[in-house]
Structures are given as C-alpha cells and as structure tokens.
C-alpha cells in the first residue's frame, strides 16, 4: 500500500516538474490598449500587480500606438491593470505563460460615463470607487437642504433616476433592494429606507448588481442579477453621548452630588452640568469644565486690544462664568451650581451659547495678627472675625465666529450677568501699642447687600487682502454695569488711654446706600503691511472711554432719615484713552525683531456733587501724554531653543476705586480716601527668557527674568495718629522697582521611569511709601527652591516626591530693628498603587511649616489623605471610593505676608478631617488607568 | 532582481515617456489633525480620545506649505517659506532629494534637535494599487496604498494618471504617475496638491554645495525612529509631538 503511494507521489512530482519545465522562467508580456471603438490609447499606464495583494510589481506606459511590453519578467500569475484618464480601470488576471511571449492582443477598455466623470469626479471632487461593477458615491459631495431624505439625495446622483412615486432606477434598471450598512431596512420595499432615512445620516451610496435571492438561497448562480443600492451610515452620526454622576456621603454631614451629561454629533455639542456639595468645591474642576464647554473651551483671536504684537491668535481659556472652582482654602462653603452649553460648528460657522448659575455660602472664622511699623516704633492689631456671606450669579454667554468668505472673518461675543450677594462680618479688633499695652478695642458688626448686573459685548472683524501678509482688523466692545447696594455699619470703640470719659467710648451706626453705573466703550484698528519678504509695517489705534457715576447716601443707622452730608457724595469720573502706534517688524528664519513707538493720551475728568442733581462742588480735569517705545527680539537658533528679549514702557491709568473722592469708614481705625489727582503709573519693563528642550535626552531648561522700574506709581501713603487710627490715601510716587527671576529644569534620571525637576526663584522688590510723612522703603528679598521627583517603577505604582523651601527677608528703612525673615517649607509625597486589578490605593501626604523669627512664630501642618477606589460593572462603569481626608485633623489656612510698613500673619479655619464614601456612574465607563486619574476627588 | 526590474522599467520609460507634462513644480498643503492622530495612540483610553476630540476637535489643525520640484529623473521636496503674519518660526529642516536615474536618495532631516543627512540607494516602496479614482488639483488620480510599520501608519496615495513622473511628496515615490495627495491614517495628516505648474526646471533640482549634518544610512534613520516611537509609547506620550508624523 505504502509502496504504491510512494510510487504515485514520485510519478506525480515528475509530472509536475515536467509540466513546469515546459514553461519558461522569464517571459515578455505585451498587448495593445484600445478603447471600445478600437481607437488607440497612447500613453496609457500599464501595471503588473501581484494577484494576492494587489502590490505593484512593475509598470510602464503604452507607446503612441497603444503598444506596451514588459520584457524579461518572472513567469508568475499577475493582475494586469491599465489606467487611462476618462476610462474605467481595466483588470485582467494573467496565468503563467507557456510561451516566452505572452501576447494579450487587443485590450479594450471602457470609458467612464461622461456624466459620472464630470459631476462626481470633477465638479464634486468626490472619490469614485469602482469595485468590479460596484460604483460608490460619496454622499457628502452632493448638497441637499437640511432635513432632506435619502430619496432627495438619490435624485441628485448621476445615473440614478427616482420617479414621482419614489421608484428608483439605476443605470436604467429598476432597483429592487435598498440595504443599510448591508442589512435590509424595513422589509423588502426599497422605498421604505429612501423615504424614511435622513440624507445627513449617510456617508456613502453604493450601487451594484446583486445575485437574486433565489441564487443566494440555492447557491446556484442563475445569472439573474438585481440592481441594489447599499447606504452606508456615517460613523460619527452613530449617536455620541457621555456623562457621569457622582453621589457621596461623609462624616460630619458632608455630602456631594455632581453630574454631567453630553450629547454630540459632528456639528453639535450639547451638555448639562450640575453640582451641590458642602466640601468646599465652589465650582467644577478643570477637566469637567472642559467637557462642559466642549470645543469652545479655547477660543482664539478674541483679543481686540491691538498693538505691539497683541491681538493675535493667543488662546483664551474659558468664558465669563464662575463655573471653575476657585476656593482659596479658607472657611466652610455650601455650594450649588449648574449650567447648559450648546456649540454648533460647521463649515465657516462656530456658535456657542451657555447659561450658568452658581451660588456659594461661606462661613469663615479667622484670626489675624498685624504689626505696623512707624518712624518711632510699631503697634500690633489682633483681629478675630467671623463672616457669613452668600453670593449667587446667573450668566448667559454667546460667541459667534463666522468666516464671511475666504478673506473676511467676524467674531462677536456677548455676556449678561446678574448677581446678588450679602455678607455679615463680626470683628473684634485690639490695638496693642509700642509698650505692649491694649490701647483700643473695637467691635465691628458690618453687613452689606449688593445687586449687580453686567452686560458686555465685543465684535472683531478681520480682513485679509489679496496681497499676502496685508491684514486689516477692527474691533469694538462695550461694558455696561450697574451695582446697587447697602452697607450697614455698626461699631463700638473703646479708647483705654483716653482720660476724658467722653472720649473713652464711641459708637457708630451708619447706613450707606450705594449706586454705581459704569459704561466702557472701546475700539481698535490694526493694519499690517508687508514691505518686503522680510519687513512688515504695523499700525494700530486704540480708543477707550470709561464713564463711571457713583452715588452714595450715608444715613444715621438708628434714625434712617438723618443724612450724613459729609459722608455722602455723588460723582462722575471719565477716563478717555487714545493710543496710536506704529512699528517695523523684521523676520528671517527664526529671527524676529520688532521696533515700535506709540503716542498715548489719557483725559481724566471728575465732577463731585453733594448729592445727585446737586450743585457741582469740585471739578478736576487732567490730561496726561506719553510717548512709549517698544522693542522685542526673538531668536529660534535651533529647533526647541527659544530666546526672547523685550523692552517697553507701560502706562496704566489709576483704578476707579483709587480715584473715588469718598471716605471709606467701614473700619473707623482704617480710613481710606480716594484721590482724584492721581496720574497714570508709568513703568519700564525689561524681560528676557531662554528656553531649551533637548529632545534626545528629554532635558529641558528654562530661565526668565523680569525687571520693572516705576514712575508715578500709585502707593497708599499712611498717617497714623496717637489713637492708632490709620488714614490712607493713594498718591503718586516714583522709585519702586522689582526684579524677578526663575530657573526651571527637568531631566530624566532613568528614562521613562524617574524624572526630576528643579526650580529656583529670586524676587527682589523696593517699595517706597510715606508713613507719617517719613519716607519708608521696604526692601524684600525672597528666595525659594523646589525639587521634585516623579517615579513610575511599574505600570501599577506611581509616586511623586517633592520638597520646597522659601525665605523672604524684609527690611524696613524706618524701623530697621523690625527687619525679619518669613520662612515656609514643605514636603509632599503622593503615591498611587493599583494593588489588585481595577483597585487603586491613593494617598497624599503634605507637610508644611511656617516660621517668622520676629513673631516668634512656628507652626507645622501635616495633612494626610488616603483613599481606595474600585471599578465595577461592565466597562468599569461604576466606581466606588472610600476616602479619608486630613487623617490627622490639622487642616487650616495660614498666610504670611509682609509689605509696605506692615507684616501680617493670618490663620483661617477650614474643613478638616472627614471620611467619605462615593459612587460614580460613568455612561462610557471609567478609565482603568493609574496615571491619568490624578484628581484626589 | 529588483534592480533588474528597475533597469527594464527605466528603459521602458526612456522609450515611452513623453517630454511634456512630466517636469515642473507642485505646491502642497500639509494639514495635520492632532486629535485624529490620537486614534493610533494605543495607550490612550477610548474616553481620553473622545474627550480630546470633543474639546479640541476644531482647533487642532495645523497647516504647512511645501514645494515639490519634479522631473522624470529627479525630485526635490522642501518647506516653502511663507510670511503671512509678519512672524517667522525656524523651519524644521526637511529637504528630500531623489535621483531616479542613479537610484540614490539624499535627505536632510532634523530629528530630535539634530540634523541628519540620509544618503542611500533608492528602494522602491511596496505599493498596492486600488481601484478608486478621484480628482486632485484638476487631475484624475488613482489610489494606491502602503504601510509604514515603524510609525504604524496606513498611507493612501492618489497618483495622477496623466503626469508621468515617479516623484511624490514627503519621502514617498515610485508610482506610475506623480503623487498629488497623501492621506496618512485616515486624515490625521493630509498632504494635498494645491497648484501644479509644468515648466522646464534648471537649478531647482540641484543639491546645495554644502550640506551640514551627520551622515546616516536609511536603515539607521528608520532605527532611530523606531526607538523613539517605542520609548514614547512606553512613556504614554505621542511620539509625533517631537518627530515628524
């Protein structure tokens, strides 16, 4: 049996060898390309492909007689392909040739219907896919009005006819079947799909001959074919949505409810978001904010303040709402908020609208110790205060960006806000004089109520001229805001050093009614002219007019009809600003130089009346002119190396509050008064930055420096009387300077596993102020250093370690004995560990120490947070987390500042230890990754 | 064997090629969409990709302009210097010379902050020819496809049926017609011809007299890319933030 098999095999092999031996190994393949009318197609492209994967083996062109020849090619199976403009690609399978020359003779190729070629390929620029006898159309290339059905779309396609009752013919044959993504839709009636489906849901239309059902079932090809249309659905039309909801309960009545939901398709994004908590989340985090605003999170070209390089395509983050959490670490808050957002982006239109509401109730208890230095000693103020406040905001925003045509763009934005707030502050303040004796004590009980509305709008228009580089832009904007409020001031002051009993105690009860109206109008023009390939000439003009009307009526808090005329006022301030500038820019291969100059004028005018509609008591009118230069240079000598140097003079108008000629006596020991005579502040600004990133070893180094010298700076000069009452008034003073520098570097110690970053800062400032008419210069030298490591030993563990130290040495020229060092130091360790699949242990430890040698103060705060979370359900849709916050119950907010002629140390109570269990359901499932989830909560 | 084929091919070319419409200058617009590029970042979860597309979907496009000089014998591809806003960044060096006659390539490429000169013999890319046709810049083009396993890219090329030149944009070439469009990974990067000028070229195709940079072979260049891509994937960072897509 075996022997027979062997014999047969040998015979078979011999036969095969024999068979192949007859075929030459190398052959020539030739033929003549013609169209169906036997006309020669000269220059046709002829390709030999491998039949298994269509890969290109060889190619050539037919000559002017349509003749082609491949010489000396391997004698293997080929797929011959011929292409010619206006003809359907021709394909023919070639088997190994028994002769040395495989002459294919005349090859006739079919033209593409003129209609198809003109309309589909040339006009609509749509790819036309030809697969055997299937022709595929790209639906997006055929414009139909929104809301059209597939039937309307089919009417537009060349080669397809749809009659009045919806019957379809393709290339003259009745279409028997319409499928959607290859599946039969609504039974056998082809019209069911075409009449019911929206045209916008379709990405492709394929027309082909399909074997009849009979042939498909029996497997016997009876040769009868049916014209069939297949509709392919758009990928992104398959409904998109995501969202999540979190509920949490904790000890000491802590609770959180938070959720967001988004729906989107290619053109539209719709989202809702909401939150409620009492764990000091005053808004949503950055990640959720981004999801809420969608593709409107960043918007460019929104700056209409042109001049010296600004007003370009800088990105602006966020909008006018207060949705982002911005808790400053002090007190206890109850928060509630939410909003809806809608974005529409299509072709040349980008529209975004949103409504946001948020409210926060704050309970804050804090202590403050302030030491003030005078020319002959110092005094201390000890405050204990308790605040209860509430604020609520409604904000409606819209942004519309429209490319009017290829050269004109218009951006418009508007925002309307309503807000109301009220607060009640109870403070006990004690004044300790130079001899460590209690001199005064004051008990303050102030409450206030405020209603505000603000409407602002901006329009920016840009035009690009035909000449490349010539650009014109114009902008205008307005802000209208109104605030109305009342302040209720109650205070009781005890003067312990007064000898006269009448002077030993003083009580104030006052009611202020305030009304502010502000209107700001702005406009800008910008024109960029290319002088040559390297030189550009930039011109700009800015205008703004700010008009403010402020009225305040002060009454006796006990007898509300008794008006205090000395504390009441009505005034109008108007600041008009005009700036015109010109500059020359040069640029060449990474070198950009810009030199410019601008002339500006401020017109300040103020009118003071005793009451609205009263007789003018004071009038001030001032004009301020300045010529300011500007120079910037940037160098980009190597890939990833940037150097920038800039010098300019900045001129800033005094703030409206500094100009207000109103006495603020909410604290009778700290009385401020505005100054209508203020001039704008002028500052020389020099800056330098160098950054370099070495891409091959991932080392980056950045250095920046900034120096400012101020002329006519607005400073708050002080007069302190024997009763330790401070009167402060803003005045212009020259000579202040500041220098800041930072060096940052980051480099890997072990690539992809261990990265180190280092940062060193030095800030110097010299600030002059008058204290009781004596010049005091406060000199501050602050040094700080940071080091951090981020370590990823495996996919399952991620650790960051860091340490920082900062020291601020402050010297006061009027009282050198009070020179002091404010020190803060910290250490932090964060670790995340995925110890079981889908289960994560996350902890962070933060140790901060505060010291002040003068105050003899030293406090250390260790904060430890630990949590365990586990992902559950299919696709990790549910996340359960058990967390312990501030395990040692030590959290409080400490602030140390020293400036002018004082130093303060502030301690505020806030949310400390609590435990919380939370559940989060995510529609799309949670990320089962360690690294990216770095939000503790 | 391949060489043989090429020689035959070149001979065939010599006989058949017509002088007209096979020499000139093409302007290409190169458009990169960063969120589409994310599709191939296997380390990103579905949620992160969707979030990126949702937030940055309309501001993630960057466009550059390139020029391709071509003739049947040679080609040169480089970035066009454009000054439209009065500001100029340093251009990345990316100058691609192809000599089809002598079968050599000379490419000047910035890679991770260093300039390299890739010099080697030309190896014809392994194209697949597909059946679709479409119009690019007024020329009917056929579709071809190739894979770059190192960068993990599927590249679709559209080559003109009526421009008999083997040149193409980027580092690609070797089709029976001039390549007028490339689409890398489903639109993540599209290089498309916006203007075609047929003209006699003189010095445009010449190599500069001095080329600065460390010399490297094609294999070495590909190995550097492979190493970088692997490293960055391990770090879970898009490798194409730092190298050319």
């Amino acid at each position: 049996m075996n022997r027979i098999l062997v014999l047969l095999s040998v015979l078979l092999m011999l036969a095969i060898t024999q068979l192949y031996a007859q075929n030459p190994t190398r052959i020539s393949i030739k033929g003549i390309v013609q169209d169906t009318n036997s006309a020669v197609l000269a220059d046709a492209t002829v390709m030999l492909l491998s039949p298994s994967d269509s890969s290109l083996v060889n190619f050539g062109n037919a000559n002017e007689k349509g003749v082609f020849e491949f010489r000396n090619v391997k004698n293997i199976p080929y797929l011959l392909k011929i292409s010619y403009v206006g003809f359907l690609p021709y394909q023919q399978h070639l088997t190994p040739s028994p002769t040395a020359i495989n002459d294919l003779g005349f090859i006739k190729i079919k033209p593409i219907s003129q209609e198809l070629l003109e309309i589909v390929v040339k006009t609509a620029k749509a790819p036309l896919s030809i697969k055997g006898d299937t022709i595929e159309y790209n639906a997006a290339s055929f414009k139909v009005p929104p809301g059209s059905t597939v039937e309307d779309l089919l009417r537009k396609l060349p080669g397809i006819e749809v009659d009045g009752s919806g019957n379809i013919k393709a290339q003259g044959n009745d279409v028997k079947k319409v499928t959607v993504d290859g599946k039969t839709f609504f039974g056998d009636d082809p019209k069911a799909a075409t009449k019911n489906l929206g045209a916008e849901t379709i990405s492709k239309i394929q027309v082909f001959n399909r074997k009849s059902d009979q042939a498909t079932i029996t497997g016997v090809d009876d040769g009868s074919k049916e014209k069939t249309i297949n509709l392919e659905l758009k990928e992104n039309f398959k409904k998109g949505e995501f969202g999540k909801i979190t509920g949490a309960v904790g000890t000491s009545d802590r609770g959180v409810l938070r959720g967001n939901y988004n729906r989107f398709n290619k053109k539209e994004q719709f989202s809702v978001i909401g939150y409620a908590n009492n764990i000091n989340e005053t808004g949503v985090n950055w990640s959720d904010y981004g999801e809420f605003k969608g593709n409107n999170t960043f918007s460019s070209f929104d700056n209409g303040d042109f001049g010296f390089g600004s007003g370009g395509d800088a990105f602006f983050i966020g909008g006018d709402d207060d949705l982002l959490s911005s808790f400053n670490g002090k007190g206890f808050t109850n928060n509630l908020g939410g909003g809806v957002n809608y974005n529409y982006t299509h072709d040349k239109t980008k529209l975004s609208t949103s409504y946001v509401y948020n409210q926060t109730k704050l309970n804050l208890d804090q202590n403050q110790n302030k030491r003030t230095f005078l020319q002959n000693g110092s005094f201390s103020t000890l405050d204990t205060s308790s605040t209860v406040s509430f604020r609520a905001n409604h904000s409606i925003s819209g942004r519309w960006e429209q490319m009017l045509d290829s050269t004109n763009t218009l951006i418009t934005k508007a925002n309307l806000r309503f807000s109301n707030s009220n607060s009640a502050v109870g403070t006990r303040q004690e004044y300790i004089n130079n001899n460590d004796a209690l001199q005064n004590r004051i008990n303050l009980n102030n409450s206030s109520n405020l209603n505000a509305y603000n409407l602002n709008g901006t329009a920016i228009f840009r035009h690009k001229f035909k000449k490349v580089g010539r650009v014109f832009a114009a902008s205008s904007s307005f802000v209208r805001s109104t605030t109305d409020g009342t302040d209720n001031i109650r205070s009781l002051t005890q003067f312990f050093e007064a000898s006269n009993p009448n002077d030993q105690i003083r009580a104030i009860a006052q009611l202020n009614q305030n009304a502010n109206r502000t209107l700001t109008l702005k406009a800008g023009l910008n024109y960029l002219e290319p002088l040559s390939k390297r030189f550009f000439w930039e011109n700009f003009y800015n205008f703004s007019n700010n008009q403010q009307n402020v009225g305040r009526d002060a009454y006796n808090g006990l007898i509300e009809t008794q008006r205090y005329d000395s504390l009441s006022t009505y005034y109008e301030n108007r600041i008009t600003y005009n700036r015109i500038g010109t500059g020359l820019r040069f640029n060449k291969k990474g070198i950009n130089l810009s030199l410019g100059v601008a002339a500006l004028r401020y017109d300040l005018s103020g009118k003071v009346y005793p009451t609205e509609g009263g007789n003018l008591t004071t009038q001030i009118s001032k004009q301020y002119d300045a010529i300011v230069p500007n120079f910037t240079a940037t160098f980009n000598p190597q890939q990833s190396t940037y150097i920038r140097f800039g010098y300019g003079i900045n001129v800033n108008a005094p703030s409206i509050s500094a100009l207000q000629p109103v006495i603020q006596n909410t604290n009778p020991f700290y009385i401020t008064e505005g100054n209508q005579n203020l001039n704008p502040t002028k500052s020389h600004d020099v800056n330098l930055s160098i950054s370099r990133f070495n891409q091959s070893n991932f080392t980056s180094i950045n250095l920046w420096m900034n120096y400012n010298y101020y002329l006519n700076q607005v400073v708050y000069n002080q007069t302190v009387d024997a009763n330790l009452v401070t009167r402060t008034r803003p005045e212009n003073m020259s000579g202040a300077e500041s220098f800041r520098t930072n060096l940052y570097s980051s480099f890997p110690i072990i690539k992809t596993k261990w990265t180190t970053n280092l940062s060193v800062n030095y800030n110097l400032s010299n600030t002059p102020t008058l204290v009781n008419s004596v010049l005091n210069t406060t000199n501050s030298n602050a040094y700080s250093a940071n080091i951090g490591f981020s370590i990823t030993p495996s996919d399952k563990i991620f650790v960051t370690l860091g340490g920082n130290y900062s020291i601020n040495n402050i010297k006061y020229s009027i009282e050198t004995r009070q020179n002091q060092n404010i020190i803060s130091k910290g250490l932090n360790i964060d670790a995340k560990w995925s110890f079981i699949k889908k289960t994560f242990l996350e902890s962070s430890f933060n140790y901060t120490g505060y010291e002040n040698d003068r105050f003899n103060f030293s406090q250390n705060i260790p904060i430890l947070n630990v949590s365990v979370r586990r992902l559950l359900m299919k696709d990790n849709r549910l996340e359960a987390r058990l967390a312990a916050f501030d395990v040692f119950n030590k959290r409080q907010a400490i602030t140390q500042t020293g400036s002018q002629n004082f130093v303060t140390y502030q301690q505020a109570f806030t949310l400390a230890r609590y435990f919380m269990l939370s559940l989060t359901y995510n529609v799309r499932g949670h990320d089962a990754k360690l690294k990216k989830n770095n939000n503790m909560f | 064997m391949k060489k043989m084929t090429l020689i035959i091919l070149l001979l065939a070319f010599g006989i058949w090629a017509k002088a007209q419409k096979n020499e000139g200058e093409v302007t290409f617009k190169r458009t990169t969409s960063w969120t589409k590029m994310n599709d191939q970042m296997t380390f990103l979860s579905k949620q992160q990709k969707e979030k990126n597309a949702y937030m940055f979907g309309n501001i993630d496009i960057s466009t550059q302009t390139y020029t391709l000089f071509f003739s049947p014998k040679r080609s040169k591809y480089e970035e066009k210097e454009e000054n439209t806003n009065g500001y100029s960044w340093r251009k990345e060096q990316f100058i691609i010379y192809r000599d089809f006659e002598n079968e050599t390539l000379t490419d000047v490429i910035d890679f991770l902050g260093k300039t390299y000169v890739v010099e080697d013999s030309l190896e014809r890319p392994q194209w697949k020819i597909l059946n679709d046709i479409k119009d690019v810049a007024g020329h009917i083009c056929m579709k071809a496809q190739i894979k770059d396993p190192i960068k993990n890219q599927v590249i679709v090329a559209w080559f003109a049926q009526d421009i008999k030149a083997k040149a193409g944009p980027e580092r690609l070439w070797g089709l029976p017609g001039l390549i007028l469009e490339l689409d890398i990974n489903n639109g993540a990067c599209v290089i498309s011809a916006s203007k075609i000028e047929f003209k006699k070229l003189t010095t445009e195709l010449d190599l500069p007299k001095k080329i600065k940079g460390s010399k490297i072979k094609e294999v070495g260049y590909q190995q550097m890319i492979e190493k970088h891509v692997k490293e960055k994937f391990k770090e879970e960072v898009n490798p194409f933030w730092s190298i050319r897509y």
Side-chain angles (χ1 to χ4, degrees), chain A residues 750-755 789-800 930-931, chain B residues 234-235:
Chain A
I750 303 167
K751 249 190 194 178
T752 77
K753 289 201 165 154
W754 185 349
T755 310
F789 304 101
S790 103
I791 306 160
T792 319
S794 78
D795 291 349
K796 293 186 169 59
I797 299 176
F798 178 60
V799 181
T800 58
L930 189 67
K931 236 174 164 178
Chain B
K234 206 175 165 198
E235 263 184 90

Side-chain angles (χ1 to χ4, degrees), chain A residues 674-716:
Chain A
N675 179 358
Q676 280 200 312
N677 287 316
L678 288 178
N679 278 326
T681 300
K682 202 170 171 181
S683 69
H684 293 269
D685 185 347
V686 185
N687 57 65
L688 171 73
S689 66
I690 300 168
S691 78
R692 173 155 171 74
F693 177 59
N694 185 328
Q695 290 162 319
S696 54
N697 59 16
F698 308 127
T699 300
S700 77
I701 188 155
N702 290 282
L703 171 76
W704 65 258
M705 286 183 203
N706 187 293
Y707 174 78
N708 280 296
Y709 183 80
Y710 296 92
L711 295 164
N712 282 335
Q713 190 183 21
V714 175
V715 296
Y716 284 80

Side-chain angles (χ1 to χ4, degrees), chain A residues 111-388:
Chain A
I112 300 177
S113 97
Q114 203 54 30
E115 206 181 11
L116 268 185
L117 197 68
E118 283 304 315
I119 299 173
V120 183
V121 182
K122 284 284 180 193
T123 312
K125 303 262 177 217
L128 193 65
S129 197
I130 300 145
K131 289 167 188 153
D133 58 357
T134 303
I135 291 173
E136 194 176 89
Y137 301 85
N138 192 339
S141 316
F142 300 92
K143 297 273 179 282
V144 285
S148 301
T149 60
V150 169
E151 192 180 290
D152 301 324
L153 181 65
L154 290 179
R155 285 181 209 274
K156 293 247 170 186
L157 300 185
I160 294 181
E161 296 159 46
V162 183
D163 68 17
S165 49
N167 295 312
I168 309 158
K169 279 189 175 189
Q171 282 116 43
N173 300 315
D174 286 335
V175 172
K176 293 277 170 57
K177 214 174 181 88
V178 174
T179 55
V180 177
D181 275 354
K183 294 184 196 93
T184 309
F185 189 82
F186 292 149
D188 268 345
D189 182 5
K191 287 178 275 182
T194 54
K195 282 188 181 293
N196 288 303
L197 265 180
E200 73 272 18
T201 58
I202 306 297
S203 74
K204 278 174 189 162
I205 301 153
Q206 294 152 342
V207 183
F208 56 96
N209 294 323
R210 185 176 170 275
K211 282 180 201 168
S212 66
D213 280 346
Q214 186 68 28
T216 314
I217 294 161
T218 58
V220 181
D221 193 344
D222 55 4
S224 70
K225 297 211 170 152
E226 294 177 347
K227 275 282 176 212
T228 301
I229 289 179
N230 180 47
L231 305 169
E232 212 172 280
L233 287 177
K234 271 184 197 167
E235 193 62 36
N236 49 27
F237 210 85
K238 290 163 188 169
K239 194 177 68 183
E241 61 174 354
F242 60 89
K244 56 184 185 289
I245 186 157
T246 299
V249 287
T251 53
S252 25
D253 295 327
R254 299 292 144 201
V256 176
L257 196 60
R258 185 197 308 127
N260 66 305
Y261 176 74
N262 298 46
R263 261 183 100 94
F264 62 93
N265 58 42
K266 202 177 179 185
K267 289 179 196 168
E268 294 165 296
Q269 298 186 327
F270 173 77
S271 57
V272 289
I273 195 163
Y275 65 90
N277 69 74
N278 56 2
I279 58 159
N280 287 344
E281 285 177 0
T282 61
V284 300
N285 64 28
W286 165 241
S287 163
D288 289 350
Y289 183 79
E291 280 184 10
F292 174 65
K293 294 291 246 182
N295 65 21
N296 190 38
T297 311
F298 300 94
S299 35
S300 56
F301 288 109
D302 274 10
N303 185 0
D305 296 330
F306 306 123
F308 294 141
S310 72
D313 61 347
F315 279 125
F316 284 83
I317 301 169
D320 306 297
D321 49 63
D322 288 333
L323 199 56
L324 268 172
S325 189
S326 58
F327 184 63
N328 65 1
K330 296 174 179 179
F332 297 81
T333 57
N334 289 352
N335 309 287
L336 176 72
V340 287
N341 186 77
Y342 172 78
N343 299 334
Y344 175 87
T345 314
H346 184 58
D347 279 354
K348 291 166 176 177
T349 305
K350 197 186 157 195
L351 179 75
S352 305
T353 53
S354 69
Y355 164 75
V356 166
Y357 172 77
N358 60 332
Q359 68 170 57
T360 290
K361 188 182 166 209
L362 168 75
N363 279 287
L364 169 65
D365 288 301
Q366 63 180 358
N367 301 322
Q368 180 178 288
N369 188 344
K370 177 176 176 183
R371 193 172 293 180
T372 309
F373 313 115
L374 303 172
Q375 73 275 30
N376 46 12
S378 67
F379 68 92
S380 297
T381 322
L382 305 174
D383 289 19
T384 311
S385 71
S386 167
T387 306
V388 179

Side-chain angles (χ1 to χ4, degrees), chain A residues 56 61 129 287 924-925 929, chain B residues 16 43 47 50-51 127 132:
Chain A
L56 182 63
N61 291 322
S129 197
S287 163
R924 289 284 179 102
K929 302 188 71 171
Chain B
W16 286 324
F43 53 81
Q47 289 95 330
E50 279 172 358
K51 187 171 175 173
W127 289 105
D132 309 50

